[in-house]
Structures are given as C-alpha cells and as structure tokens.
Coordinates of all heavy atoms in Angstrom, one line a residue:
P211 N 102.5 109.6 107.9 CA 101.2 108.9 107.6 C 100.1 109.4 108.6 O 98.9 109.4 108.2 CB 101.6 107.4 107.9 CG 102.8 107.4 108.7 CD 103.6 108.7 108.3
H212 N 100.4 109.8 109.8 CA 99.4 110.2 110.8 C 98.8 111.5 110.3 O 97.6 111.8 110.5 CB 100.0 110.3 112.1 CG 100.5 109.0 112.7 ND1 99.7 107.9 112.7 CD2 101.7 108.6 113.2 CE1 100.4 106.9 113.2 NE2 101.6 107.3 113.5
V213 N 99.6 112.5 109.9 CA 99.1 113.7 109.3 C 98.3 113.5 108.1 O 97.1 114.1 108.0 CB 100.3 114.7 109.0 CG1 99.8 116.0 108.3 CG2 101.0 115.0 110.3
A214 N 98.7 112.7 107.1 CA 98.0 112.3 106.0 C 96.6 111.7 106.3 O 95.6 112.0 105.8 CB 98.8 111.4 105.1
H215 N 96.6 110.8 107.4 CA 95.3 110.2 107.8 C 94.4 111.2 108.4 O 93.2 111.3 108.1 CB 95.7 109.2 108.9 CG 94.5 108.4 109.3 ND1 94.5 107.7 110.6 CD2 93.2 108.1 108.8 CE1 93.3 107.2 110.8 NE2 92.5 107.4 109.7
A216 N 94.9 112.1 109.2 CA 94.1 113.2 109.8 C 93.6 114.1 108.7 O 92.3 114.4 108.8 CB 94.9 114.0 110.8
A217 N 94.4 114.4 107.8 CA 93.9 115.3 106.7 C 92.7 114.7 105.9 O 91.8 115.3 105.5 CB 95.0 115.8 105.8
R218 N 92.9 113.4 105.7 CA 91.9 112.6 105.0 C 90.5 112.5 105.7 O 89.5 112.7 105.1 CB 92.5 111.3 104.6 CG 91.6 110.5 103.6 CD 92.3 109.2 103.2 NE 93.6 109.4 102.6 CZ 94.8 109.0 103.1 NH1 94.8 108.4 104.3 NH2 95.9 109.2 102.5
L219 N 90.7 112.3 107.0 CA 89.5 112.3 107.8 C 88.8 113.7 107.8 O 87.6 113.7 107.8 CB 89.9 112.0 109.3 CG 90.3 110.5 109.6 CD1 90.9 110.4 111.0 CD2 89.1 109.6 109.4
I220 N 89.5 114.7 107.9 CA 89.0 116.1 107.8 C 88.2 116.3 106.5 O 87.0 116.8 106.5 CB 90.0 117.2 108.1 CG1 90.6 117.1 109.5 CG2 89.5 118.6 107.7 CD1 91.7 118.0 109.7
R221 N 88.8 116.0 105.4 CA 88.2 116.2 104.1 C 86.9 115.2 104.0 O 85.9 115.6 103.3 CB 89.1 115.8 102.9 CG 90.3 116.8 102.8 CD 90.9 116.6 101.4 NE 91.3 115.2 101.2 CZ 92.5 114.7 101.6 NH1 93.3 115.5 102.3 NH2 92.8 113.5 101.4
T222 N 86.9 114.1 104.6 CA 85.7 113.2 104.5 C 84.7 113.5 105.4 O 83.4 113.5 105.0 CB 86.3 111.7 104.8 OG1 87.3 111.4 104.0 CG2 85.1 110.8 104.6
H223 N 84.9 114.1 106.6 CA 83.9 114.3 107.6 C 83.6 115.7 107.9 O 82.7 116.0 108.7 CB 84.3 113.5 108.9 CG 84.5 112.0 108.6 ND1 83.3 111.2 108.3 CD2 85.5 111.2 108.6 CE1 83.8 109.9 108.2 NE2 85.1 109.9 108.3
A224 N 84.3 116.6 107.4 CA 84.2 118.0 107.8 C 82.8 118.6 107.6 O 82.2 119.3 108.5 CB 85.2 118.9 107.1
L225 N 82.2 118.2 106.4 CA 80.9 118.7 106.1 C 79.8 118.1 106.8 O 78.6 118.6 106.9 CB 80.7 118.5 104.6 CG 81.7 119.1 103.6 CD1 81.3 119.0 102.2 CD2 82.0 120.6 104.0
A226 N 80.0 117.0 107.5 CA 79.0 116.4 108.4 C 79.0 116.9 109.8 O 78.2 116.4 110.6 CB 79.2 114.9 108.4
G227 N 79.8 118.0 110.0 CA 79.8 118.6 111.3 C 80.7 117.9 112.4 O 80.6 118.2 113.5
A228 N 81.6 117.1 111.9 CA 82.6 116.5 112.8 C 83.4 117.5 113.5 O 83.8 118.6 112.8 CB 83.4 115.5 112.1
T229 N 83.9 117.3 114.7 CA 84.8 118.2 115.4 C 86.2 117.7 115.3 O 86.5 116.5 115.0 CB 84.4 118.4 116.8 OG1 84.5 117.1 117.5 CG2 83.0 118.8 117.0
I230 N 87.2 118.6 115.5 CA 88.6 118.2 115.5 C 88.9 117.2 116.6 O 89.6 116.2 116.4 CB 89.5 119.4 115.7 CG1 89.5 120.2 114.4 CG2 90.9 119.0 115.9 CD1 90.0 119.5 113.2
K231 N 88.1 117.3 117.8 CA 88.4 116.4 118.8 C 88.0 115.0 118.5 O 88.7 114.0 118.7 CB 87.6 116.9 120.1 CG 87.8 116.0 121.4 CD 87.0 116.5 122.5 CE 87.2 115.7 123.7 NZ 86.4 116.2 124.9
E232 N 86.8 114.9 117.8 CA 86.3 113.7 117.4 C 87.2 112.9 116.3 O 87.5 111.7 116.4 CB 84.9 113.7 116.7 CG 83.9 114.2 117.8 CD 82.5 114.6 117.1 OE1 82.6 114.9 115.9 OE2 81.5 114.6 117.8
L233 N 87.7 113.8 115.4 CA 88.6 113.2 114.4 C 90.0 112.9 114.9 O 90.6 111.8 114.5 CB 88.7 114.2 113.2 CG 87.4 114.5 112.5 CD1 87.6 115.6 111.4 CD2 86.7 113.4 111.9
A234 N 90.5 113.7 115.7 CA 91.9 113.4 116.3 C 91.8 112.1 117.1 O 92.9 111.5 117.2 CB 92.3 114.6 117.1
A235 N 90.7 111.8 117.6 CA 90.7 110.5 118.5 C 90.9 109.3 117.6 O 91.1 108.2 118.1 CB 89.3 110.5 119.2
Q236 N 90.7 109.4 116.3 CA 90.8 108.3 115.4 C 92.2 108.2 114.9 O 92.5 107.2 114.1 CB 89.8 108.5 114.2 CG 88.4 108.6 114.5 CD 87.5 108.7 113.4 OE1 87.6 108.0 112.4 NE2 86.6 109.7 113.5
V237 N 93.1 109.0 115.2 CA 94.5 109.0 114.8 C 95.4 108.5 116.0 O 95.3 109.0 117.1 CB 95.1 110.4 114.3 CG1 96.5 110.3 113.8 CG2 94.1 110.9 113.2
P238 N 96.2 107.4 115.7 CA 96.9 106.8 116.9 C 98.2 107.4 117.3 O 99.2 106.9 117.5 CB 97.2 105.4 116.2 CG 97.4 105.6 114.8 CD 96.4 106.7 114.5
V239 N 98.0 108.8 117.5 CA 99.1 109.5 118.2 C 98.4 110.5 119.2 O 97.2 110.8 119.0 CB 100.1 110.3 117.2 CG1 100.9 109.3 116.4 CG2 99.2 111.2 116.4
S240 N 99.2 111.1 120.1 CA 98.6 112.0 121.0 C 98.1 113.3 120.2 O 98.6 113.6 119.2 CB 99.6 112.4 122.0 OG 100.6 113.3 121.5
R241 N 97.1 113.9 120.8 CA 96.6 115.2 120.2 C 97.6 116.2 120.0 O 97.7 116.9 119.0 CB 95.4 115.7 121.0 CG 94.7 116.8 120.3 CD 93.4 117.1 121.1 NE 92.7 118.3 120.6 CZ 91.7 118.8 121.1 NH1 91.1 118.4 122.2 NH2 91.1 119.9 120.5
S242 N 98.5 116.4 121.1 CA 99.5 117.5 120.9 C 100.5 117.1 119.9 O 101.0 118.0 119.1 CB 100.2 117.7 122.3 OG 100.8 116.5 122.7
A243 N 100.9 115.8 119.8 CA 101.9 115.4 118.7 C 101.2 115.6 117.3 O 101.9 116.0 116.4 CB 102.3 114.0 119.0
L244 N 100.0 115.2 117.2 CA 99.3 115.4 115.9 C 99.3 116.8 115.5 O 99.5 117.2 114.3 CB 97.9 114.8 116.0 CG 97.0 115.0 114.7 CD1 97.7 114.3 113.5 CD2 95.6 114.5 114.9
F245 N 98.9 117.8 116.4 CA 98.8 119.1 116.0 C 100.1 119.7 115.7 O 100.2 120.5 114.7 CB 98.2 120.0 117.2 CG 96.7 119.9 117.4 CD1 96.1 118.7 117.1 CD2 95.9 120.9 117.7 CE1 94.7 118.6 117.2 CE2 94.6 120.9 117.8 CZ 93.9 119.7 117.6
R246 N 101.2 119.3 116.4 CA 102.6 119.8 116.1 C 103.0 119.3 114.8 O 103.5 120.0 113.9 CB 103.5 119.3 117.2 CG 105.0 119.8 117.0 CD 105.9 119.3 118.0 NE 106.1 117.8 117.9 CZ 105.7 116.9 118.7 NH1 104.8 117.2 119.7 NH2 105.9 115.6 118.5
R247 N 102.7 118.0 114.4 CA 103.1 117.4 113.1 C 102.4 118.0 112.0 O 102.9 118.3 110.9 CB 103.0 116.0 113.2 CG 103.9 115.2 114.0 CD 103.6 113.7 113.9 NE 104.3 112.9 114.9 CZ 104.3 111.6 114.9 NH1 103.6 110.9 114.1 NH2 105.0 110.9 115.9
F248 N 101.0 118.3 112.2 CA 100.2 118.9 111.2 C 100.7 120.3 110.8 O 100.8 120.6 109.6 CB 98.7 119.0 111.7 CG 97.6 118.9 110.7 CD1 97.0 117.7 110.5 CD2 97.3 120.1 110.1 CE1 96.0 117.7 109.5 CE2 96.3 120.0 109.1 CZ 95.7 118.8 108.8
K249 N 101.1 121.1 111.8 CA 101.5 122.4 111.6 C 102.9 122.4 110.9 O 103.1 123.2 109.9 CB 101.7 123.1 112.9 CG 102.2 124.6 112.8 CD 100.9 125.4 112.6 CE 101.3 126.9 112.7 NZ 100.2 127.9 112.4
E250 N 103.7 121.4 111.2 CA 105.0 121.3 110.6 C 104.9 120.9 109.1 O 105.7 121.4 108.3 CB 105.8 120.2 111.4 CG 107.2 119.9 110.8 CD 107.9 118.8 111.5 OE1 107.5 118.4 112.6 OE2 108.8 118.2 110.9
H251 N 104.0 120.0 108.8 CA 103.9 119.5 107.4 C 103.1 120.3 106.5 O 103.3 120.5 105.3 CB 103.4 118.1 107.4 CG 104.4 117.1 107.8 ND1 105.4 116.5 107.0 CD2 104.7 116.5 109.1 CE1 106.2 115.7 107.7 NE2 105.8 115.7 108.9
L252 N 101.9 120.8 107.1 CA 101.0 121.6 106.2 C 100.9 123.1 106.4 O 100.3 123.8 105.7 CB 99.6 121.0 106.4 CG 99.4 119.6 105.9 CD1 97.9 119.1 106.2 CD2 99.7 119.4 104.4

C-alpha cells in the first residue's frame, strides 16, 4: 500500500513540479524503505 500511495502521489503531483523528497515525506515509511520497496514492486 505504501508503494501504491507513492505512485499515486507521483502521478497526481509530478506535473506541478513536486520533488521526490516532498512526495516521499507524505508516505509513512522511511525514505530508504520506500525506495527499496518501489524498486522491488515496479
């Protein structure tokens, strides 16, 4: 669910100039864990 949440945030806010750091802060896991899970699933 955290990867799905992050991917949804990216699709919603990417065109507005949002950065990965800003978006990752809205996902309730550590940045390193999110990046690892993101790579694993997608």
Side-chain angles (χ1 to χ4, degrees):
H212 298 308
V213 174
H215 183 202
R218 194 173 299 114
L219 286 171
I220 289 171
R221 291 196 305 275
T222 303
H223 300 289
L225 305 185
T229 66
I230 289 299
K231 182 178 180 180
E232 292 169 341
L233 299 178
Q236 301 181 48
V237 184
V239 293
S240 71
R241 187 174 176 182
S242 60
L244 175 63
F245 280 40
R246 185 182 67 253
R247 293 183 187 183
F248 207 98
K249 184 83 172 179
E250 177 185 338
H251 285 276
L252 293 179

